[in-house]
Amino acid sequence: MEEREGEVRWDGLCSRDAAARDAALDTIGQAVLRRAESIASGAAADGLPVLAARDGLGEALARLLMLSKRCPFPDVREKSEAILSGVQELGIRIPRPLGHGPSRFIPEKETIQVGKEDATMHTLFAESFATLGRLDNVTLVMVFHPQYLESFLKTQHYLLQMDGPLPLHYRHYIGIMAAARHQCSYLVNLHVNDFLHVGGDPKWLNGLENAPQKLQNLGELNKMLAHRPWLITKEHIEQLLKTEENSWSLAELIHAVVLLTHYHSLASFTFGCGISPEIDCEGGHTFRPPSVSNYCICDITNGYHGVDEIHASPAGIIPSTESVCEVEALMEKMKQLQECRDEEEASQEEMATRFEREKRESMFVCSSEDEESAATRDVSRHFEDTSYGYKDFSRHGMHVPTFRAQDYSWEDHGYSLVNRLYPDVGQLLDEKFHIAYNLTYNTMAMHKDVDTSMLRRAIWNYIHCMFGIRYDDYDYGEINQLLDRSFKVYIKTVVCTPEKTTKRMYDSFWRQFEHSEKVHVNLLLVEARMQAELLYALRAITRYMT
């Protein structure tokens, strides 16, 4: 619905002041009902039934539906619902949500319900809504871990909205470019709306070739960071910084690199946790009436299968003796490895051999070719070279030197470079990495008072190993002991080809663990992946500078 002549303004709903929200909703309600009355009376005059909301009314109704379900402010939820009821009374069909909750992998009743959150979570929700104008599904799944979510939201807000080298519309467009590399229509849809909201040129959305040359030049770096970051050299950096009138400054490039890595890894989280489309976006609602069995064929084609899919057990699988034993066996292995560590330490040569063996083995971990990818709208127009994807770095006789963390690490090198060229961002990223890596509640499935540091380190280092990054002080033999094949398949898929992640993969690892623990795994995957991409890009920038 067009916002002409001040007719509909949604911004006022983000206010923390109840009176301002109330006034904004009054204005919205009047505009929506006026439009609905006009459509209903026009149809009546022609003697026709009202088939659908037209002239932008549909988008406004979808937005009101989202507000009625997802706004952290109860006054907005109630009033949005009242406006929808008023439209329905005029004989116009209103939308209803598709699916069950923010994730296709996690039963809705096991996620935090908006309106039933505790005070800490409510503060986070209100902050997120006031900043973004929405409480998105990513936030509703991440809130299993409030400490991490707070850091994540703070970082994302700084990257997208605070003072920085890049203009606001560039930031959202780079988010679109990055998410599109993994066909993540969920993130693309959100940033298309944000891009237009901050005054971005709609023509750019027709394809990357319609964007300024400066952004087109970022395409090569985008694809290599997303799929094969180990190929980035100082020559790639030089090309971006030395292209005459379309050149990037170092500060702009750092901002762009952080945005690209942020959205590549956020695409991993989106697919890894089965994030559902937003209620007001494509695939999140329908104007069709529900069928007798409470869902219709359009729901099934969207992957929603009614209440049958809501399982009672923590990770969606009926507990078995085997899966309970899986937890016990993992804890026993952790105990044995700790004892071996205390008794003897492998030589540096042996440690290097174990790294090479794990790196080699990681190449043969892959998801089945017949796995179906989550259905996505075609977003390939937002990037070039669509056939370019993830390839293991040592295939076809190609050898990439190991990236030794001792020679270039985030703590000693990357952090200070980012902080120098884009103040405060290094600090925000560092805090987020640390929270994800150190986050623990000392639990494993049904067990309490467990030290999970060994397991967390194995997951983090396995991801870096897949990217060719080696820590001299880590025994890579531990990875095979702690991560079984189904877990490795899930990790590699989510990190390298997230668009191929399926519910079956999610269900098949750690079957007796809580969903919150599986979300925690995804936070580790997101941050380890982001740091690995950043290390390759920042090392290339450092080499260019020296």
Side-chain angles (χ1 to χ4, degrees):
M1 196 149 156
E2 290 177 25
E3 294 184 0
R4 58 179 179 272
E5 299 168 20
E7 214 179 35
V8 175
R9 294 288 306 171
W10 301 94
D11 305 10
L13 300 181
C14 300
S15 173
R16 287 178 179 80
D17 174 44
R21 294 197 299 270
D22 200 47
L25 269 171
D26 277 344
T27 310
I28 290 166
Q30 288 162 17
V32 167
L33 288 167
R34 260 201 315 274
R35 188 80 214 113
E37 282 163 3
S38 156
I39 289 169
S41 60
D46 296 337
L48 298 169
V50 182
L51 294 176
R54 304 190 306 275
D55 299 336
L57 180 63
E59 287 89 338
L61 296 179
R63 184 117 179 218
L64 285 163
L65 176 68
M66 178 272 288
L67 291 168
S68 73
K69 305 285 183 191
R70 293 281 194 265
C71 184
F73 304 119
D75 54 328
V76 174
R77 290 200 300 275
E78 288 157 20
K79 208 152 186 180
S80 299
E81 209 165 303
I83 297 168
L84 287 169
S85 297
V87 171
Q88 194 171 27
E89 282 164 18
L90 292 167
I92 292 176
R93 191 176 289 162
I94 60 169
R96 61 187 178 85
L98 279 172
H100 304 282
S103 161
R104 291 178 297 113
F105 297 171
I106 305 170
E108 184 173 18
K109 63 181 180 180
E110 295 189 33
T111 59
I112 306 297
Q113 308 294 305
V114 178
K116 295 181 182 171
E117 70 273 14
D118 64 25
T120 306
M121 289 176 185
H122 179 75
T123 304
L124 278 172
F125 285 174
E127 187 63 39
S128 177
F129 190 85
T131 305
L132 301 168
R134 62 178 177 263
L135 183 56
D136 60 34
N137 289 339
V138 164
T139 300
L140 289 171
V141 172
M142 273 187 189
V143 80
F144 274 121
H145 305 286
Q147 187 194 2
Y148 174 85
L149 175 61
E150 186 175 7
S151 176
F152 172 86
L153 290 174
K154 201 163 54 173
T155 306
Q156 185 168 263
H157 175 60
Y158 196 92
L159 290 174
L160 291 176
Q161 291 170 297
M162 300 296 280
D163 286 346
L166 293 173
L168 297 183
H169 63 303
Y170 265 50
R171 303 180 198 194
H172 290 293
Y173 196 81
I174 290 168
I176 293 167
M177 287 172 67
R181 275 274 28 140
H182 285 306
Q183 292 134 59
C184 187
S185 55
Y186 171 85
L187 290 173
V188 170
N189 284 338
L190 288 184
H191 285 282
V192 162
N193 291 336
D194 291 341
F195 171 76
L196 295 170
H197 185 68
V198 296
D201 184 346
K203 287 202 280 291
W204 296 10
L205 301 174
N206 295 331
L208 185 58
E209 68 281 1
N210 297 289
Q213 188 60 47
K214 182 169 175 172
L215 282 165
Q216 290 183 45
N217 292 348
L218 203 60
E220 185 77 7
L221 186 66
N222 180 26
K223 78 176 186 186
M224 290 195 325
L225 267 177
H227 307 299
R228 307 173 205 173
W230 45 87
L231 298 181
I232 296 169
T233 64
K234 68 175 186 180
E235 283 71 32
H236 293 113
I237 303 303
E238 189 171 15
Q239 267 181 318
L240 288 164
L241 297 170
K242 292 280 177 72
T243 44
E244 310 304 317
E245 71 274 18
N246 296 311
S247 66
W248 291 75
S249 72
L250 266 172
E252 287 174 331
L253 186 58
I254 289 284
H255 193 168
V257 162
V258 175
L259 281 166
L260 289 171
T261 57
H262 176 81
Y263 282 104
H264 294 153
S265 53
L266 193 52
S268 283
F269 184 86
T270 300
F271 286 115
C273 291
I275 300 294
S276 303
E278 293 300 323
I279 290 174
D280 57 333
C281 285
E282 186 183 346
H285 63 274
T286 180
F287 282 87
R288 295 185 190 183
S291 68
V292 180
S293 63
N294 204 34
Y295 63 96
C296 63
I297 196 70
C298 57
D299 292 354
I300 298 170
T301 55
N302 275 293
Y304 306 119
H305 309 294
V307 289
D308 298 339
E309 218 176 53
I310 301 181
H311 305 288
S313 67
I317 293 222
I318 293 161
S320 65
T321 318
E322 185 195 340
S323 60
V324 173
C325 292
E326 182 185 49
V327 183
E328 312 292 349
L330 184 52
M331 289 177 66
E332 185 56 35
K333 279 179 189 164
M334 285 163 62
K335 189 175 157 209
Q336 287 169 2
L337 284 169
Q338 189 57 55
E339 286 165 2
C340 292
R341 255 191 207 173
D342 296 341
E343 284 168 24
E344 56 172 325
E345 203 173 294
S347 66
Q348 277 301 312
E349 292 76 14
E350 177 58 24
M351 300 267 260
T353 305
R354 288 175 188 177
F355 169 78
E356 290 302 329
R357 188 185 305 135
E358 191 54 55
K359 189 170 84 167
R360 212 166 38 248
E361 280 183 19
S362 79
M363 291 191 293
F364 300 104
V365 172
C366 55
S367 54
S368 331
E369 292 304 315
D370 61 354
E371 293 285 11
E372 283 180 44
S373 298
T376 58
R377 200 165 58 87
D378 179 35
V379 293
S380 57
R381 65 180 178 278
H382 298 300
F383 62 92
E384 55 207 5
D385 197 0
T386 51
S387 61
Y388 191 96
Y390 173 78
K391 280 266 192 310
D392 290 310
F393 40 74
S394 298
R395 285 271 163 96
H396 315 302
M398 189 175 113
H399 181 69
V400 175
T402 292
F403 185 129
R404 293 177 73 250
Q406 276 65 17
D407 298 335
Y408 196 95
S409 69
W410 166 255
E411 291 78 11
D412 298 334
H413 308 90
Y415 167 80
S416 53
L417 177 63
V418 172
N419 239 23
R420 189 163 81 244
L421 292 166
Y422 187 8
D424 297 332
V425 168
Q427 182 66 45
L428 288 165
L429 292 175
D430 193 56
E431 180 187 289
K432 189 159 62 79
F433 291 148
H434 275 101
I435 289 172
Y437 188 87
N438 296 313
L439 188 66
T440 183
Y441 306 96
N442 299 111
T443 58
M444 269 178 71
M446 66 295 290
H447 299 277
K448 293 185 167 53
D449 302 317
V450 184
D451 178 359
T452 60
S453 54
M454 181 184 283
L455 187 54
R456 283 179 278 121
R457 190 175 183 194
I459 294 168
W460 187 280
N461 286 2
Y462 179 59
I463 294 158
H464 278 201
C465 176
M466 291 191 304
F467 282 88
I469 299 169
R470 180 187 165 214
Y471 295 87
D472 288 354
D473 61 348
Y474 183 68
D475 180 356
Y476 286 84
E478 292 186 4
I479 288 172
N480 270 343
Q481 298 286 314
L482 297 173
L483 314 183
D484 65 22
R485 185 161 184 83
S486 62
F487 192 15
K488 282 183 168 183
V489 165
Y490 177 78
I491 292 173
K492 185 169 183 180
T493 306
V494 171
V495 170
C496 303
T497 51
E499 58 280 9
K500 291 184 178 171
T501 310
T502 63
K503 186 174 189 301
R504 185 162 64 235
M505 287 179 196
Y506 175 90
D507 287 342
S508 69
F509 83 91
W510 282 12
R511 287 165 297 175
Q512 208 30 44
F513 284 71
E514 299 286 338
H515 286 291
S516 61
E517 292 171 301
K518 292 194 169 196
V519 172
H520 184 185
V521 165
N522 274 281
L523 300 182
L524 283 168
L525 307 192
V526 163
E527 297 303 337
R529 174 187 179 170
M530 184 174 183
Q531 194 180 88
E533 283 189 30
L534 274 175
L535 284 171
Y536 278 108
L538 297 173
R539 184 179 68 167
I541 291 170
T542 301
R543 286 176 173 174
Y544 164 79
M545 289 167 71
T546 51

